[in-house]
Amino acid sequence: MTGMLFDDEGRRLLDQLFDKWSLLVLEALCARPRRFHELREHLPAVTPKSLTTCLRRLERNGLVERLVLSTDPLAVEYRITRLGRTLEEPLQAMLRWVVDHLDVVETARSHYDERRSPEERSTRTS
Amino acid sequence: MTGMLFDDEGRRLLDQLFDKWSLLVLEALCARPRRFHELREHLPAVTPKSLTTCLRRLERNGLVERLVLSTDPLAVEYRITRLGRTLEEPLQAMLRWVVDHLDVVETARSHYDERRSPEERSTRTS
DNA sequence: CCGTATCCAGAATGATACTG
DNA sequence: CAGTATCATTCTGGATACGG
């Protein structure tokens, strides 16, 4: 079924959707339209540069649209498109899975690390 | 809802799940257990190093298990765990979305690129 | 067959400062 | 407010060769 994901187009879209911020940005915009600085506050660790890159990419892929409101001072609003909205459910399901299984995964990691180094109490987290 | 995804644990799990190969490896293992070289054939562009890294990570996170079959020559089998299986549905939904919307996204990209450079026929694909 | 070791190029990201 | 520019750094991932 996923043969298409191995050619260049498929790989690129997959990589771009699942880059460091896209999923979280999309989720934030699914809830409601947001301004640039609102997104920055919502995603504490993102730098303006990374956020711009991410938003441009989502815009280019047709998942997000950028609206310049000609107010003073300048305001810009990002909102999910209809195409982006079709991704909402799968996206939410994946994020929910991650949140719901964080502790189980953490337990699995501990077991794995202990088995690999039974004597030393390593503090590796990578 | 996704507040947990902004701390270190959540971010790391998110990044590791959505690294370059994890999703495709997981999908392959959902279908059936596979040997190392089977995975390499299934994912044409992956190098042994990248595949190893990916598999170790999935194993550490408890999503995949590694079984050494003491045959001769040595055989190793990777299979999805019960925890990994709980991710199957959300995962399939996301991959299906990508496959189903590749063409729409491609169209969106063309429009975006044309609007940004109306005169020159740029061939950018990144 | 199943990886690991080493080296390295390029991408992704961050820090910081600055502009319309 | 909403970014861009620049520089430094980190990190991923590929190429290649070798080891258990």
Side-chain angles (χ1 to χ4, degrees):
Chain A
M1 154 196 150
T2 48
M4 293 179 73
L5 299 181
F6 300 123
D7 64 23
D8 280 354
E9 287 305 326
R11 269 250 57 107
R12 187 154 39 236
L13 180 52
L14 205 58
D15 291 343
Q16 293 184 359
L17 266 183
F18 299 120
D19 73 358
K20 190 162 183 179
W21 299 108
S22 294
L23 292 184
L24 296 177
V25 167
L26 279 174
E27 193 219 16
L29 294 181
C30 278
R32 56 184 166 82
R34 312 225 189 200
R35 310 267 298 272
F36 191 82
H37 78 273
E38 290 181 285
L39 287 171
R40 288 197 65 184
E41 287 155 18
H42 188 75
L43 291 73
V46 72
T47 60
K49 177 184 168 185
S50 298
L51 184 54
T52 299
T53 305
C54 177
L55 286 168
R56 291 290 174 280
R57 199 138 64 182
L58 290 173
E59 195 191 350
R60 180 166 184 258
N61 287 335
L63 300 170
V64 160
E65 62 181 340
R66 178 176 183 270
L67 297 168
V68 181
L69 313 175
S70 302
T71 56
D72 182 83
L74 176 64
V76 176
E77 193 177 81
Y78 293 92
R79 46 172 71 229
I80 197 87
T81 61
R82 214 149 36 123
L83 176 59
R85 189 67 75 180
T86 66
L87 185 56
E88 182 172 12
E89 227 179 84
L91 167 62
Q92 298 283 10
M94 287 273 2
L95 294 180
R96 206 173 318 120
W97 187 94
V98 173
V99 172
D100 289 347
H101 296 81
L102 262 182
D103 55 340
V104 190
V105 169
E106 186 50 34
T107 303
R109 283 178 183 164
S110 303
H111 289 165
Y112 183 89
D113 293 344
E114 280 167 18
R115 252 178 293 131
R116 299 208 72 187
S117 53
E119 63 287 358
E120 58 160 329
R121 286 286 158 267
S122 79
T123 52
R124 66 188 298 254
T125 52
S126 65
Chain B
M1 156 196 147
T2 49
M4 293 179 74
L5 299 180
F6 300 124
D7 64 24
D8 280 355
E9 287 305 326
R11 270 251 55 110
R12 188 154 38 235
L13 179 52
L14 205 59
D15 291 344
Q16 294 184 358
L17 268 182
F18 298 117
D19 72 358
K20 189 164 184 178
W21 300 107
S22 294
L23 292 183
L24 296 176
V25 167
L26 279 174
E27 194 220 12
L29 295 181
C30 277
R32 58 184 165 82
R34 313 229 189 197
R35 309 267 299 272
F36 191 82
H37 79 272
E38 290 182 287
L39 287 171
R40 289 197 65 183
E41 288 155 18
H42 187 76
L43 291 74
V46 74
T47 60
K49 176 187 168 183
S50 297
L51 183 54
T52 299
T53 306
C54 178
L55 286 167
R56 291 291 173 278
R57 200 138 64 181
L58 291 173
E59 195 191 352
R60 180 167 184 259
N61 287 335
L63 300 170
V64 160
E65 61 181 340
R66 179 175 183 270
L67 297 166
V68 181
L69 314 174
S70 301
T71 56
D72 181 82
L74 177 64
V76 177
E77 194 177 83
Y78 292 92
R79 46 172 71 231
I80 196 88
T81 61
R82 211 146 40 117
L83 175 59
R85 190 66 75 181
T86 66
L87 185 56
E88 181 172 13
E89 227 178 84
L91 166 62
Q92 298 282 11
M94 287 273 2
L95 294 180
R96 207 173 319 120
W97 186 94
V98 174
V99 172
D100 290 347
H101 296 82
L102 262 182
D103 55 340
V104 190
V105 169
E106 186 50 34
T107 304
R109 283 178 184 164
S110 304
H111 289 168
Y112 182 89
D113 293 344
E114 280 167 18
R115 252 179 292 131
R116 299 207 71 188
S117 54
E119 63 286 1
E120 59 161 329
R121 285 285 158 266
S122 80
T123 51
R124 67 188 300 253
T125 52
S126 63

